[in-house]
Amino acid sequence: MTISKYQLRHLKKTIKKIKRNDSSATEVVLNGFDVESDNTLATLAMSLINNTHVKILYLHGCNISAKGAYLLAFALRSNKSLQYMWLNDNKIGSTGADALGSSLLYNRTLLTLGLRNNSIGNRGGKALLRAVNENCIIAGIFLEGNRMSSRVVNEIHRITSGEPADQSDDEFEVYEHKDVSEYDNETVTGSVISKSFAAKTLGAIKEIDEEDESVFSDEVDFDFTTCFQQKETQGKLKEMTIDRFMKRKIRPSHPR
């Protein structure tokens, strides 16, 4: 997507404000920018980690895939100010929804998450469902236009809106994440902010074709509370276990 010099200047200026924690940057609107193609999203996500002023973030139609959702989820685990994040009309899929769902197990400030028209299937929906079952702060996840069943959507809406459960319904099966406390403490350290590392990491993440979600099994299922470690073998980033993506040396304590 081609953007004008004015738009490019606006994009760079906005991200610089977030990075230096400018108190005037409370509402950030970057709709329509192709933020993932040139590592802009990686820079934005890393800048959000310690930012204490941005409360509203608009990223509608920004060509964000599951890879970009990983970065935003990583930021959400530590960010303590963001209350509204709008990601409508992207392509994060169930893979990205799982990453965001995992981050909501730790984040306790986000109130609204917009995920309309993101090609999210039942698997991603169940990951979000588990998150809202454990996170009593988030008050709304908007999921219209995705591929998940209406039952999953309705259950998420019921929980976030505080409606009582229908006792006549069967128990709802919820997608289980692994507890990150099971993993060791070796993590991606300061190098995660490097653009080259971010690019390599994003390139190593594989997205799943979800045309038939019934084929998933424990053997091929990803756990999105994890990470890739920077390491090259014969000119390529060696794919490590995914338990190294979303943790840092000082990781947030597990929610009670």
Side-chain angles (χ1 to χ4, degrees):
M1 177 176 61
T2 304
I3 62 175
S4 67
K5 290 182 179 179
Y6 170 79
Q7 290 174 312
L8 184 59
R9 188 162 56 247
H10 167 72
L11 180 61
K12 290 181 177 179
K13 183 179 178 180
T14 300
I15 292 179
K16 282 182 180 179
K17 281 186 175 183
I18 299 171
K19 192 172 183 178
R20 65 171 181 258
N21 204 17
D22 191 320
S23 61
S24 67
T26 58
E27 182 174 352
V28 175
V29 182
L30 295 174
N31 296 335
F33 288 94
D34 189 0
V35 294
E36 193 171 313
S37 61
D38 60 354
N39 295 325
T40 301
L41 187 58
T43 305
L44 172 62
M46 296 307 111
S47 301
L48 283 170
I49 289 174
N50 296 313
N51 184 280
T52 59
H53 295 291
V54 176
K55 297 184 183 303
I56 308 172
L57 178 62
Y58 291 95
L59 293 170
H60 295 322
C62 290
N63 200 35
I64 298 171
S65 67
K67 299 174 183 180
Y70 262 83
L71 290 171
L72 291 172
F74 182 63
L76 277 178
R77 288 170 65 95
S78 300
N79 181 276
K80 298 294 188 296
S81 65
L82 196 60
Q83 297 178 358
Y84 305 91
M85 185 163 71
W86 298 97
L87 302 175
N88 298 340
D89 304 310
N90 286 291
K91 49 183 182 180
I92 71 168
S94 285
T95 301
D98 197 348
L100 292 169
S102 176
S103 70
L104 292 179
L105 300 178
Y106 296 85
N107 182 285
R108 288 297 182 268
T109 54
L110 194 70
L111 300 174
T112 300
L113 178 60
L115 293 173
R116 293 186 177 108
N117 303 318
N118 267 285
S119 299
I120 302 171
N122 286 334
R123 181 169 169 275
K126 288 181 180 180
L128 293 170
L129 179 57
R130 192 240 173 163
V132 298
N133 267 308
E134 298 193 23
N135 182 328
C136 60
I137 302 299
I138 193 156
I141 299 182
F142 295 87
L143 295 164
E144 294 85 348
N146 287 293
R147 297 188 292 107
M148 70 187 72
S149 73
S150 59
R151 187 183 180 199
V152 176
V153 174
N154 292 340
E155 184 68 3
I156 291 173
H157 173 73
R158 182 193 67 75
I159 293 170
T160 55
S161 61
E163 296 177 6
D166 185 348
Q167 299 300 323
S168 63
D169 284 347
D170 295 333
E171 184 177 351
F172 203 95
E173 180 185 357
V174 177
Y175 176 82
E176 290 293 335
H177 295 279
K178 290 183 181 178
D179 187 339
V180 294
S181 62
E182 296 174 9
Y183 304 116
D184 60 69
N185 240 355
E186 297 175 13
T187 58
V188 177
T189 56
S191 61
V192 77
I193 357 178
S194 141
K195 286 187 177 181
S196 60
F197 174 69
K200 291 173 184 176
T201 303
L202 289 178
I205 298 171
K206 293 182 179 180
E207 297 177 51
I208 301 173
D209 180 2
E210 294 183 293
E211 288 299 322
D212 181 4
E213 293 190 341
S214 63
V215 302
F216 285 103
S217 67
D218 292 338
E219 288 72 25
V220 298
D221 210 359
F222 285 129
D223 171 21
F224 300 106
T225 58
T226 55
C227 67
F228 284 96
Q229 183 181 37
Q230 182 183 19
K231 186 176 182 181
E232 292 186 17
T233 301
Q234 299 178 350
K236 293 184 179 179
L237 179 69
K238 184 178 180 181
E239 294 183 14
M240 306 296 290
T241 56
I242 305 178
D243 30 305
R244 299 186 183 278
F245 183 82
M246 295 179 59
K247 299 192 301 176
R248 306 183 73 191
K249 203 150 204 169
I250 302 176
R251 69 171 186 265
S253 59
H254 196 279
R256 296 178 181 177

